[in-house]
Amino acid sequence: MKRIYITLVFLLVGMVGMAYLYFSNLHTETSANDSSLNAVASSSALVFSFDNEKSFYDILSGQEIFADILGEEKSKQLKALNSLVNDANVNNAFSGQKVYIGFLPGEKNTIDFIITSQLKSAVDVNQVINGLKRKLKVDKANDLYQLTFADSATCFLSIQKSLVVLGSTADAINQTLKNNSENITPFTNYVKNNSRYNKNTLASLFVNFNLLPQVLKNILTTNLTGELSVLDKQDAFATFTYSFSKDKLLFSGTTEINAQNSYHKLFVDEAEQKLTIQNILPEKTANFTAYGIADYKRWKNNLNILFTSTKEFSKIEENIKRIDQKHRLDLNQIFSTYFKNQLLTFELASGEKFGAIALSNGEKVSQSFLDVSEEYDLDIRIFREDGIPYSFFGQPFKKFEKPYFIIIDNYLIMANNASNLQVFLNSYRNNKLLSQDENFISFNDQISSSSTILFYINRKNSNDIFGRNLKAPYFKQYQSSKGFKDYNAFSYQLAADNGKFLTNLLLFKKEEKILVPDTLKTN
């Protein structure tokens, strides 16, 4: 899941950019419309919504980040659609209507977009079509209109009664209309209900995690397995509002997890913690996920309920009892007593993966683990038994079946290879830490120090990882100087709040220092 959020940024930023480029000449009043919402929400994993007010476009025009992310060529292509609303008849036809932009999977590893809105009552469709013909070539193709611009770029348009659907491809429109029905989906209701609370915001973004895997498969070279499995069949919705800034892209809102058997559901009632465990991370850390747990005993009971729902609890309980009896331990008592309040998984630029647990007394835990582990070298030990980290902390530690581990400065750090831990120790003991990096310090100043869950991606250190996991067109944009190259970090920060998560989604670019010449210096 850590890796996937940077991919999500491609889509989020793209939505905002297209909103500006497509409709930058519209001046309308707010008016939500169920028909256009139903159409876009039926097929789209991500829905961007905004009111056609001049202030929206004025603000966006001052944020260069959208052009940076979309790239010069893509921006040029999208600007061709401005001519759609240059004609007065076209402009007036959409006055006072809500605009939605949705993203859905296309063919040949592409991501299609659709834009939906509503014609005003008593608008003559022929006037709209004639207005378009004065600006571009319009051909009727079955039930759709094909719009061809001067530079040969094309898009497609459907007008059914008052519902207007503009799409990047004919398939995108046909899929949307096919899925659109009178049966309102849960996601449609979610968007509608949350739109009521966002009336005073500049723009809103809604995410349907149920449909997100269908979009991600066109971006990724891998399946949603391992760390990415958390996004597969995840029943969750999120809503965000857009905040303007010249040096960062910030969306703030809430994430709601509907599925009861979700690992992240375990954290919705955990008070946010001041996370400090990331201070141990090596300078070459590519990504990390930190979790705060205020009450471990209560949280562990909920983890056991989750294990019961996945039919794992009996097997796990029997294994721990066997280990306790064999080594004369009480593992549950050890972790309940000496676990502090946070844990962490992280990955280095070279791909090595680690887990870490904050302890209140590392020396006591070291002594307790003497019998259940064996020495590899002076610093590193390995568990003799399977499944200990997973049994007590769940999904993030499933990959560490029988890991090597070290305990240092009240942190238990684990990996599947002893050499990985030696790499960690070398960085830690020589103070080559991410927390000392100037870009990370600047990023850290932008977010709250307290979280329940924090996902972080370092753009530079993740380059090789994304090279393996992103398909060529998306990785090219990731590396481009007209893309993500100048951005430092991405984070997805969750803070528990009465059964849901307050959420901040941030893409950050540290401002370059301007060197002022010393005018007093003489030759």
Side-chain angles (χ1 to χ4, degrees):
M1 189 169 185
K2 299 186 285 283
R3 299 176 188 168
I4 209 62
Y5 281 94
I6 192 72
T7 304
L8 187 59
V9 176
F10 281 102
L11 303 178
L12 305 186
V13 176
M15 279 184 279
V16 182
M18 279 190 262
Y20 168 61
L21 294 167
Y22 292 145
F23 294 96
S24 59
N25 293 320
L26 285 176
H27 305 275
T28 60
E29 298 177 357
T30 301
S31 177
N33 183 274
D34 288 349
S35 178
S36 54
L37 171 58
N38 293 345
V40 74
S42 64
S43 302
S44 302
L46 302 114
V47 174
F48 188 78
S49 168
F50 63 94
D51 297 325
N52 296 322
E53 296 179 347
K54 185 176 185 300
S55 59
F56 175 76
Y57 306 107
D58 289 342
I59 291 175
L60 284 185
S61 64
Q63 187 162 40
E64 297 177 356
I65 187 173
F66 302 126
D68 291 340
I69 301 305
L70 288 172
E72 184 176 3
E73 181 179 351
K74 189 67 173 178
S75 296
K76 183 177 179 180
Q77 293 174 346
L78 296 176
K79 286 179 181 178
L81 289 176
N82 284 342
S83 57
L84 285 177
V85 291
N86 283 341
D87 184 85
N89 289 325
V90 177
N91 197 329
N92 293 334
F94 296 94
S95 176
Q97 303 304 320
K98 193 88 170 179
V99 176
Y100 298 97
I101 303 177
F103 281 74
L104 60 159
E107 295 183 349
K108 297 180 179 179
N109 301 327
T110 61
I111 305 298
D112 287 337
F113 71 85
I114 56 170
I115 303 174
T116 66
S117 192
Q118 185 85 3
L119 292 175
K120 290 197 308 184
S121 59
V123 169
D124 186 347
V125 174
N126 290 325
Q127 287 183 345
V128 176
I129 300 302
N130 290 334
L132 294 174
K133 288 180 177 179
R134 285 192 285 270
K135 299 294 181 180
L136 44 83
K137 183 181 178 182
V138 180
D139 297 306
K140 190 73 179 292
N142 296 324
D143 295 329
L144 304 179
Y145 296 95
Q146 181 174 324
L147 311 181
T148 305
F149 300 90
D151 62 356
S152 299
T154 62
C155 66
F156 294 84
L157 177 69
S158 170
I159 302 179
Q160 295 190 357
K161 297 181 180 179
S162 61
L163 174 63
V164 178
V165 183
L166 176 72
S168 55
T169 65
D171 286 341
I173 293 180
N174 290 331
Q175 181 181 341
T176 298
L177 295 177
K178 179 180 179 181
N179 293 337
N180 186 31
S181 68
E182 297 300 324
N183 296 322
I184 307 301
T185 66
F187 184 53
T188 301
N189 284 328
Y190 175 81
V191 174
K192 189 184 302 182
N193 291 335
N194 282 276
S195 294
R196 295 171 183 171
Y197 301 106
N198 296 339
K199 289 184 177 180
N200 295 323
T201 62
L202 184 65
S204 298
L205 170 69
F206 304 92
V207 183
N208 183 352
F209 286 94
N210 294 283
L211 298 181
L212 192 58
Q214 300 174 28
V215 174
L216 296 177
K217 71 178 182 180
N218 284 10
I219 295 174
L220 298 169
T221 59
T222 59
N223 294 321
L224 296 180
T225 57
E227 291 177 340
L228 304 182
S229 62
V230 69
L231 290 174
D232 191 23
K233 301 176 182 178
Q234 177 71 271
D235 186 9
F237 301 143
T239 178
F240 299 96
T241 58
Y242 167 68
S243 299
F244 171 75
S245 172
K246 288 189 176 182
D247 60 352
K248 61 187 175 184
L249 182 70
L250 176 63
F251 285 90
S252 301
T254 59
T255 299
E256 297 184 25
I257 299 175
N258 305 315
Q260 295 302 313
N261 61 345
S262 166
Y263 180 76
H264 294 101
K265 189 78 170 181
L266 300 177
F267 294 85
V268 294
D269 294 317
E270 290 296 318
E272 60 186 273
Q273 301 295 299
K274 184 176 177 62
L275 297 179
T276 57
I277 193 170
Q278 64 269 29
N279 292 334
I280 69 172
L281 294 173
E283 62 182 356
K284 294 298 183 180
T285 297
N287 55 68
F288 71 78
T289 307
Y291 303 85
I293 301 175
D295 185 340
Y296 177 76
K297 290 183 179 179
R298 184 186 65 179
W299 183 88
K300 180 59 167 62
N301 288 334
N302 291 331
L303 177 63
N304 290 340
I305 294 172
L306 175 60
F307 283 147
T308 300
S309 70
T310 58
K311 299 180 180 179
E312 298 175 89
F313 180 69
S314 296
K315 183 178 179 180
I316 289 173
E317 187 177 38
E318 290 174 5
N319 184 50
I320 295 302
K321 286 181 179 179
R322 179 188 62 80
I323 295 172
D324 285 351
Q325 292 173 359
K326 180 179 179 180
H327 299 285
R328 298 180 181 180
L329 291 173
D330 186 344
L331 287 172
N332 187 61
Q333 183 64 27
I334 292 171
F335 284 113
S336 296
T337 302
Y338 298 116
F339 170 73
K340 198 172 182 182
N341 66 341
Q342 49 199 291
L343 52 95
L344 178 79
T345 60
F346 62 99
E347 183 175 15
L348 300 186
S350 50
E352 293 99 335
K353 299 177 182 179
F354 302 81
I357 299 169
L359 305 171
S360 60
N361 192 324
E363 185 176 347
K364 287 285 188 182
V365 175
S366 293
Q367 294 173 358
S368 300
F369 283 175
L370 286 176
D371 289 336
V372 78
S373 65
E374 62 185 54
E375 184 180 280
Y376 174 81
D377 64 19
L378 187 61
D379 299 306
I380 301 172
R381 301 185 68 84
I382 182 173
F383 282 112
R384 297 176 186 268
E385 306 289 349
D386 294 339
I388 292 176
Y390 178 65
S391 299
F392 291 93
F393 296 99
Q395 187 178 37
F397 295 94
K398 191 170 187 178
K399 64 178 75 67
F400 305 111
E401 186 65 20
K402 192 189 290 186
Y404 294 84
F405 69 91
I406 57 175
I407 297 178
I408 185 171
D409 294 341
N410 289 331
Y411 293 104
L412 186 156
I413 299 96
M414 67 191 77
N416 286 323
N417 295 290
S419 59
N420 293 353
L421 288 176
Q422 289 167 343
V423 170
F424 172 86
L425 282 172
N426 181 63
S427 295
Y428 187 75
R429 287 171 172 166
N430 289 287
N431 203 36
K432 295 180 178 179
L433 304 176
L434 186 66
S435 59
Q436 305 300 313
D437 181 79
E438 187 176 322
N439 289 329
F440 183 76
I441 293 172
S442 296
F443 163 80
N444 223 28
D445 290 339
Q446 305 297 316
I447 64 172
S448 171
S449 61
S450 298
S451 305
T452 306
I453 305 174
L454 174 62
F455 305 97
Y456 166 87
I457 293 174
N458 182 289
R459 194 215 64 81
K460 181 180 178 181
N461 292 342
S462 297
N463 191 69
D464 290 343
I465 294 171
F466 284 114
R468 296 190 297 268
N469 288 277
L470 290 176
K471 291 178 179 176
Y474 303 99
F475 183 60
K476 181 179 179 180
Q477 185 66 14
Y478 174 78
Q479 288 183 306
S480 173
S481 59
K482 296 292 185 180
F484 282 92
K485 185 176 181 179
D486 294 330
Y487 294 88
N488 305 122
F490 169 74
S491 70
Y492 196 90
Q493 187 175 31
L494 304 171
D497 180 55
N498 296 320
K500 58 184 178 181
F501 293 107
L502 300 179
T503 309
N504 287 323
L505 187 155
L506 173 65
L507 178 65
F508 176 69
K509 176 170 67 175
K510 181 177 177 293
E511 291 186 2
E512 295 295 330
K513 292 182 178 180
I514 300 176
L515 297 178
V516 179
D518 187 351
T519 57
L520 297 179
K521 184 180 292 186
T522 58
N523 295 327

